[in-house]
Amino acid sequence: MIALSRLGRFQDSVLVAMSGGVDSSLTAALLTREGRPVIGVTMKTFCYSGVEGPSRTCCGLDGIADAKSVAAQLDMPHHVFDVEEDFTRDVIDDFVSEYAAGRTPIPCVRCNSFTKFRDLLRRADGLGCRWLATGHYARVVGPGAGRPELHRGADDRKDQTYFLWGMPRRALDRLLLPVGDLTKPQVRAEARRLGLDTADKPESFEICFVPDNDYAGVLRRYLPDDHPALSPGAIRLEDGSEAGRHPGYAHYTVGQRKGLPGGFAEPMFVLEIRPSSRDVVIGPRMSLARSRVVAGGVNWLADRPAGGERIGVRIRHGAPIVDADVLEATSTGFSLDLPTPQAAITPGQSAVLYRSDLVLGGGIIVSAGGPPASRVPGRS
């Protein structure tokens, strides 16, 4: 049996964000079992009519139904809130504008940063809830103590702090993350033991408004047919010579290998996207490596690091945390030097900063520097 004594026995009610997955379902179950007054909420973020693809994506229609089912199992109240207008403005519009500008955004970061946590805190206040709980694999140290900290989840393979750096700092003092100390197998085993309907529900990896993974299809619905992002252009080598043509740079991201011209002595990868000329620049793997990172749109969840301090940074989801030396850290951005150059540092993705397990904050990658290899591979 999993105990929640580390959270204390607060008698104040808890608002639990329920996506319809096993993680948030177990979160609700554990808190309910502790005798807390719990209210479940699910956010309807998107209008799914006319959208083809799997219906069991995060926050999808099946997710709403599953959340309701679990709430009924636990005999707890459950509400569905329509946040489509805010979600469209904060997430979908940003997704479209970022791809149109040749960058690769992370909708889940935008959703957590602008739509979910801000709205959930407002809903918690409206429903008289002191606490907010989610099923994220992360840990809050010291909630309710005045200076709480966000730490990485105990299961590094499932750690979700990469997606949480943009949440309002004030949320930490009210946030409970009951599954943050557990592994995914432990979560499923406990959910089965409790008989939750979602115990064996498959995980969803699709973006809720791109269930078929056709990113360009989303852009075609929002951009004019002749937009540069959807218009043909040149695929160029690092020396500027043309290696082929593409149907629109929105189909490409830094580090991509699929869909590039062949006939070279070694595999080629996307190195850069140039929206002004509609060029997609390609080169060998060694040319992907960069040693400088510049990020903007920063959000600090702890005191920002000092210049010259060595910290850790994760530059994409699933990548290892690597050493970074802080060149500058301000209220709006930061720049880092990477002692070991990293491949495919992609504008639009997040750079999240760590001091051991502590999440310092993060930002959106603006650019990556450091000279790439200059040789041009020959075709075989």
Side-chain angles (χ1 to χ4, degrees):
M1 180 177 292
I2 299 172
L4 290 183
S5 56
R6 61 188 175 80
L7 296 178
R9 287 186 171 273
F10 302 101
Q11 294 305 308
D12 300 322
S13 56
V14 185
L15 187 74
V16 180
M18 301 179 69
S19 67
V22 63
D23 303 320
S24 59
S25 296
L26 183 64
T27 293
L30 293 176
L31 292 167
T32 299
R33 194 183 66 193
E34 286 288 304
R36 299 167 183 269
V38 177
I39 300 174
V41 298
T42 302
M43 306 175 82
K44 181 180 177 293
T45 58
F46 183 62
C47 179
Y48 298 89
S49 61
V51 178
E52 298 180 356
S55 61
R56 300 185 74 86
T57 59
C58 171
C59 306
L61 294 180
D62 283 351
I64 295 174
D66 290 340
K68 280 185 171 294
S69 174
V70 170
Q73 276 189 285
L74 299 174
D75 193 26
M76 55 180 279
H78 177 264
H79 303 277
V80 178
F81 294 123
D82 190 336
V83 296
E84 181 182 347
E85 182 177 346
D86 289 346
F87 183 82
T88 298
R89 181 192 65 240
D90 297 335
V91 181
I92 298 179
D93 289 352
D94 176 79
F95 178 91
V96 172
S97 64
E98 285 292 278
Y99 264 104
R103 297 184 287 268
T104 306
I106 307 178
C108 291
V109 170
R110 290 284 302 187
C111 185
N112 285 327
S113 303
F114 291 93
T115 304
K116 284 188 176 178
F117 277 95
R118 284 184 170 86
D119 191 82
L120 287 168
L121 287 172
R122 182 168 63 85
R123 304 288 184 180
D125 290 339
L127 292 169
C129 295
R130 165 66 178 89
W131 300 99
L132 168 64
T134 75
H136 288 102
Y137 287 84
R139 295 174 293 162
V140 178
V141 176
R147 287 185 61 85
E149 299 175 341
L150 182 66
H151 286 228
R152 294 161 57 197
D155 186 348
D156 188 59
R157 294 169 299 177
K158 294 296 297 179
D159 173 55
Q160 292 177 300
T161 53
Y162 185 80
F163 300 108
L164 297 177
W165 63 265
M167 75 165 68
R169 188 172 181 176
R170 61 187 172 86
L172 292 177
D173 205 40
R174 301 175 63 178
L175 185 61
L176 304 177
L177 302 172
V179 304
D181 283 326
L182 307 178
T183 65
K184 188 73 175 194
Q186 287 175 321
V187 166
R188 288 205 183 275
E190 183 69 1
R192 292 187 194 105
R193 193 187 70 79
L194 295 174
L196 299 181
D197 290 345
T198 55
D200 293 301
K201 181 177 178 178
E203 289 191 80
S204 172
F205 297 100
E206 300 90 359
I207 296 171
C208 64
F209 60 93
V210 198
D212 56 1
N213 283 319
D214 182 9
Y215 291 12
V218 174
L219 300 182
R220 284 192 292 270
R221 293 199 295 270
Y222 289 90
L223 296 175
D225 293 339
D226 60 351
H227 192 280
L230 302 172
S231 301
I235 297 177
R236 299 189 184 277
L237 299 176
E238 294 172 89
D239 66 354
S241 60
E242 186 170 321
R245 304 289 294 177
H246 65 74
Y249 60 75
H251 294 269
Y252 300 85
T253 185
V254 171
Q256 180 174 326
R257 179 180 175 184
K258 184 179 179 180
L260 300 182
F264 293 94
E266 55 190 303
M268 303 295 280
F269 300 84
V270 175
L271 305 180
E272 184 183 358
I273 296 171
R274 298 172 179 170
S276 60
S277 62
R278 301 203 301 273
D279 289 345
V280 173
V281 181
I282 65 174
R285 183 187 296 273
M286 64 180 297
S287 293
L288 281 171
R290 298 290 188 273
S291 59
R292 294 286 175 92
V293 179
V294 177
V298 71
N299 184 57
W300 296 113
L301 294 175
D303 294 341
R304 62 177 182 255
E309 182 179 353
R310 175 158 290 188
I311 58 174
V313 62
R314 198 191 298 271
I315 59 170
R316 61 183 171 275
H317 176 55
I321 296 174
V322 298
D323 286 343
D325 295 322
V326 178
L327 300 176
E328 183 180 31
T330 70
S331 61
T332 58
F334 55 82
S335 57
L336 310 171
D337 180 73
L338 306 179
T340 302
Q342 299 298 305
I345 301 175
T346 307
Q349 297 282 287
S350 294
V352 183
L353 308 184
Y354 300 84
R355 186 181 295 123
S356 187
D357 283 345
L358 170 65
V359 181
L360 299 174
I364 302 298
I365 296 172
V366 175
S367 62
S374 59
R375 70 180 182 86
V376 177
R379 277 186 156 147
S380 57

